[in-house]
Amino acid sequence: MSDRADGGALMRTHPYGIAVRAAKGVWQGALGIAALAFGALREDVPDWVIWTAPVIVVIAVVGGACISWRQLGYRVGTDDIRVERGLINKEARSIPYDRIQDVSLSETLLSRLFGLVEVQFETGAGGKEEVTLAYVTAAEGARLREQVRDARARVSGDGGPARDRGGDGTDGASPPTATESAQTVFAMDNRRLVTFGAFEFSLLVFAVLAAGFQQFEFLLSPLIWDDGFWKEIIGQQGEYVAAAGVALAIAGAVLGLGALLLVGFVTGLVRTILRDYRFLLERTEKGFRRRRGLLTRSDVVMPLHRVQAAIIGTGAIRRLLGWHGLSFVSLASDKSDASHVVAPFATMAEIARIVAITGIDLPDAETRWHRPDARYFTDAALIGAVPLLLIAAGLAVSPYWPFAAIPVLVAGLIAGSRWLQWRRHRHALDDATLFGQVGLLSPELTAAPRIRLHSVEIAQGPLARMRGYARLNFGLAGGKFAIAGIRLDEARAVRARVLNHIAAVDFARLPR
């Protein structure tokens, strides 16, 4: 069955998608089926019930997959694309081309086995659910993406003329892999991927195990929830530790910590490989094209003129070794993340080459940096330290006076961290770009062209009004940008310069 749109007719997604949906549903319900069978065994339920229940579940999943396929259709028209859902109660959602920010493709391991992809139309609807088509063939997904982009360019003047229309009334377009010349801008080989994974320490596996225990606690032995059982275990371990001596106790603690670090390292490495395997960033006629993923392979194209700002981040240790990450704030969304990661683990030289393609400036030796008002960080330190000092004063006149040093020490750490943050936080404004850097151990630099800022807001709370500093909030499509703790007179000067720059541009003549 062909899933190619023709002349605006109602089209169905590929029927192989039924198998993908069914297999996904059975896999997700496998644990529930096993739990149901296990519970039935414990309750002495007849054998025919134990064998019938999984069959009924599988039939229900397959039937649901068939219904999901049958109730979904789409039409590609002259001015919009329409997605229709429902068997009895029909629901149609029309998306004008000038509202579509981009079209991205995603393929899971299961859909890849059938040669299918999921197509997502990104509208930048501020958190509203994006429109997706699951599933179509990879060729149809690429053709549909190119066709929608060409139609959008024709309707909104978004970056060049549309392709010639075919004789059948459709916008004839070929998959970008066959028509576009692509230049590799950044790629990660396996060695760099593993190095990156070594810095992505994560203890997510423990959160997953904890959630699993909560969901399936009825399958666990009743002893797990018996306080006496754990008291006995802990008492026995205490006796073992006392008998073994201090040296062996310390060695056991070190081994336990090492095991924890190993689990965190392996978890971070696995997550990184699954997410960024074969990471490839290319420059195409349409903009940046990013592909990555092992089990779930994503294919996202970001038009250059939709890049609003560049964000360069790093970590406490990787910064010492010269590794940074680059992401773009874009009008198009990247699933749940508004910023597109375009170089997760790169050197500053590689990042500079990527940013140069967008026309965004990066700070150099001549950039004039300004620190925020020291009173902002002083007030923050006092707000955090004064309650701790009061606690210390109360402990000092109580029988627990030796513990008074603890809140004093914490208050000193807060004051020291605020002072270091004041030294690290800075901002700058040159002829075309606004820069802001925040972070102590893991600094993050944001570079936003003034022409792409939509608004400037000066925000002050009661304390800020008394002390004479403010927070500058900049309207940035697809993301957020702010400078905190800036002097009020400087905030007004920055706002005036940015607004004067914005007012001098006729935005009606810019690509949308």
Side-chain angles (χ1 to χ4, degrees), residues 1 129 168 196 230 236 312 329 416 497:
M1 175 180 177
E129 182 182 0
D168 57 357
F196 180 32
W230 289 107
Q236 291 176 356
I312 301 175
V329 177
R497 291 182 62 186

PDB file of all heavy atoms in Angstrom, residues 1 129 168 196 230 236 312 329 416 497:
ATOM      1  N   MET A   1       0.847  -1.209   0.000  1.00  0.00           N
ATOM      2  CA  MET A   1       0.000   0.000   0.000  1.00  0.00           C
ATOM      3  C   MET A   1       0.866   1.236   0.000  1.00  0.00           C
ATOM      4  O   MET A   1       1.782   1.365   0.810  1.00  0.00           O
ATOM      5  CB  MET A   1      -0.907   0.006   1.239  1.00  0.00           C
ATOM      6  CG  MET A   1      -1.731   1.276   1.368  1.00  0.00           C
ATOM      7  SD  MET A   1      -2.782   1.224   2.838  1.00  0.00           S
ATOM      8  CE  MET A   1      -3.507   2.854   2.725  1.00  0.00           C
ATOM      9  N   GLU A 129       0.859  20.379  22.432  1.00  0.00           N
ATOM     10  CA  GLU A 129       1.316  19.140  21.821  1.00  0.00           C
ATOM     11  C   GLU A 129       1.562  19.322  20.330  1.00  0.00           C
ATOM     12  O   GLU A 129       0.701  19.833  19.607  1.00  0.00           O
ATOM     13  CB  GLU A 129       0.270  18.047  22.054  1.00  0.00           C
ATOM     14  CG  GLU A 129       0.685  16.696  21.485  1.00  0.00           C
ATOM     15  CD  GLU A 129      -0.377  15.651  21.677  1.00  0.00           C
ATOM     16  OE1 GLU A 129      -1.435  15.985  22.247  1.00  0.00           O
ATOM     17  OE2 GLU A 129      -0.149  14.513  21.254  1.00  0.00           O
ATOM     18  N   ASP A 168       0.861  16.594 -11.221  1.00  0.00           N
ATOM     19  CA  ASP A 168      -0.277  16.083 -10.493  1.00  0.00           C
ATOM     20  C   ASP A 168      -0.784  17.056  -9.457  1.00  0.00           C
ATOM     21  O   ASP A 168      -1.677  16.739  -8.678  1.00  0.00           O
ATOM     22  CB  ASP A 168       0.073  14.759  -9.804  1.00  0.00           C
ATOM     23  CG  ASP A 168       1.255  14.902  -8.865  1.00  0.00           C
ATOM     24  OD1 ASP A 168       1.824  16.002  -8.798  1.00  0.00           O
ATOM     25  OD2 ASP A 168       1.595  13.917  -8.190  1.00  0.00           O
ATOM     26  N   PHE A 196      33.210  11.323  26.314  1.00  0.00           N
ATOM     27  CA  PHE A 196      32.084  12.146  26.744  1.00  0.00           C
ATOM     28  C   PHE A 196      31.258  11.424  27.802  1.00  0.00           C
ATOM     29  O   PHE A 196      30.842  12.005  28.808  1.00  0.00           O
ATOM     30  CB  PHE A 196      31.234  12.497  25.520  1.00  0.00           C
ATOM     31  CG  PHE A 196      30.038  13.334  25.818  1.00  0.00           C
ATOM     32  CD1 PHE A 196      30.034  14.269  26.848  1.00  0.00           C
ATOM     33  CD2 PHE A 196      28.877  13.190  25.060  1.00  0.00           C
ATOM     34  CE1 PHE A 196      28.915  15.053  27.116  1.00  0.00           C
ATOM     35  CE2 PHE A 196      27.757  13.972  25.318  1.00  0.00           C
ATOM     36  CZ  PHE A 196      27.782  14.887  26.356  1.00  0.00           C
ATOM     37  N   TRP A 230      14.967  -6.104  58.891  1.00  0.00           N
ATOM     38  CA  TRP A 230      16.079  -5.199  58.614  1.00  0.00           C
ATOM     39  C   TRP A 230      16.908  -4.928  59.870  1.00  0.00           C
ATOM     40  O   TRP A 230      18.127  -4.790  59.789  1.00  0.00           O
ATOM     41  CB  TRP A 230      15.555  -3.893  58.030  1.00  0.00           C
ATOM     42  CG  TRP A 230      15.040  -4.050  56.629  1.00  0.00           C
ATOM     43  CD1 TRP A 230      13.757  -4.033  56.223  1.00  0.00           C
ATOM     44  CD2 TRP A 230      15.822  -4.308  55.462  1.00  0.00           C
ATOM     45  NE1 TRP A 230      13.666  -4.246  54.862  1.00  0.00           N
ATOM     46  CE2 TRP A 230      14.930  -4.416  54.366  1.00  0.00           C
ATOM     47  CE3 TRP A 230      17.186  -4.465  55.227  1.00  0.00           C
ATOM     48  CZ2 TRP A 230      15.350  -4.669  53.078  1.00  0.00           C
ATOM     49  CZ3 TRP A 230      17.623  -4.701  53.931  1.00  0.00           C
ATOM     50  CH2 TRP A 230      16.705  -4.801  52.876  1.00  0.00           C
ATOM     51  N   GLN A 236      23.405  -7.919  62.545  1.00  0.00           N
ATOM     52  CA  GLN A 236      24.413  -8.905  62.150  1.00  0.00           C
ATOM     53  C   GLN A 236      25.588  -8.244  61.450  1.00  0.00           C
ATOM     54  O   GLN A 236      26.759  -8.587  61.705  1.00  0.00           O
ATOM     55  CB  GLN A 236      23.773  -9.948  61.230  1.00  0.00           C
ATOM     56  CG  GLN A 236      22.766 -10.854  61.919  1.00  0.00           C
ATOM     57  CD  GLN A 236      22.090 -11.811  60.943  1.00  0.00           C
ATOM     58  OE1 GLN A 236      22.337 -11.740  59.740  1.00  0.00           O
ATOM     59  NE2 GLN A 236      21.242 -12.698  61.463  1.00  0.00           N
ATOM     60  N   ILE A 312      27.009  28.168  25.242  1.00  0.00           N
ATOM     61  CA  ILE A 312      28.203  27.336  25.403  1.00  0.00           C
ATOM     62  C   ILE A 312      28.320  26.987  26.877  1.00  0.00           C
ATOM     63  O   ILE A 312      28.446  27.863  27.732  1.00  0.00           O
ATOM     64  CB  ILE A 312      29.466  28.071  24.922  1.00  0.00           C
ATOM     65  CG1 ILE A 312      29.321  28.463  23.454  1.00  0.00           C
ATOM     66  CG2 ILE A 312      30.700  27.201  25.123  1.00  0.00           C
ATOM     67  CD1 ILE A 312      30.470  29.307  22.947  1.00  0.00           C
ATOM     68  N   VAL A 329      19.525  28.184  20.784  1.00  0.00           N
ATOM     69  CA  VAL A 329      18.134  28.504  21.066  1.00  0.00           C
ATOM     70  C   VAL A 329      17.478  28.781  19.715  1.00  0.00           C
ATOM     71  O   VAL A 329      17.913  29.657  18.979  1.00  0.00           O
ATOM     72  CB  VAL A 329      18.015  29.730  21.991  1.00  0.00           C
ATOM     73  CG1 VAL A 329      16.550  30.081  22.218  1.00  0.00           C
ATOM     74  CG2 VAL A 329      18.689  29.444  23.325  1.00  0.00           C
ATOM     75  N   GLY A 416      31.127  32.552  50.939  1.00  0.00           N
ATOM     76  CA  GLY A 416      32.249  32.376  50.016  1.00  0.00           C
ATOM     77  C   GLY A 416      31.796  32.050  48.604  1.00  0.00           C
ATOM     78  O   GLY A 416      32.349  32.567  47.629  1.00  0.00           O
ATOM     79  N   ARG A 497      19.985  50.927  24.627  1.00  0.00           N
ATOM     80  CA  ARG A 497      20.814  50.543  23.475  1.00  0.00           C
ATOM     81  C   ARG A 497      20.166  49.400  22.694  1.00  0.00           C
ATOM     82  O   ARG A 497      20.160  49.415  21.458  1.00  0.00           O
ATOM     83  CB  ARG A 497      22.206  50.150  23.946  1.00  0.00           C
ATOM     84  CG  ARG A 497      23.044  51.304  24.473  1.00  0.00           C
ATOM     85  CD  ARG A 497      24.429  50.829  24.863  1.00  0.00           C
ATOM     86  NE  ARG A 497      25.149  50.284  23.700  1.00  0.00           N
ATOM     87  CZ  ARG A 497      26.342  49.693  23.794  1.00  0.00           C
ATOM     88  NH1 ARG A 497      26.938  49.586  24.989  1.00  0.00           N
ATOM     89  NH2 ARG A 497      26.937  49.235  22.719  1.00  0.00           N
TER      90      ARG A 497
END
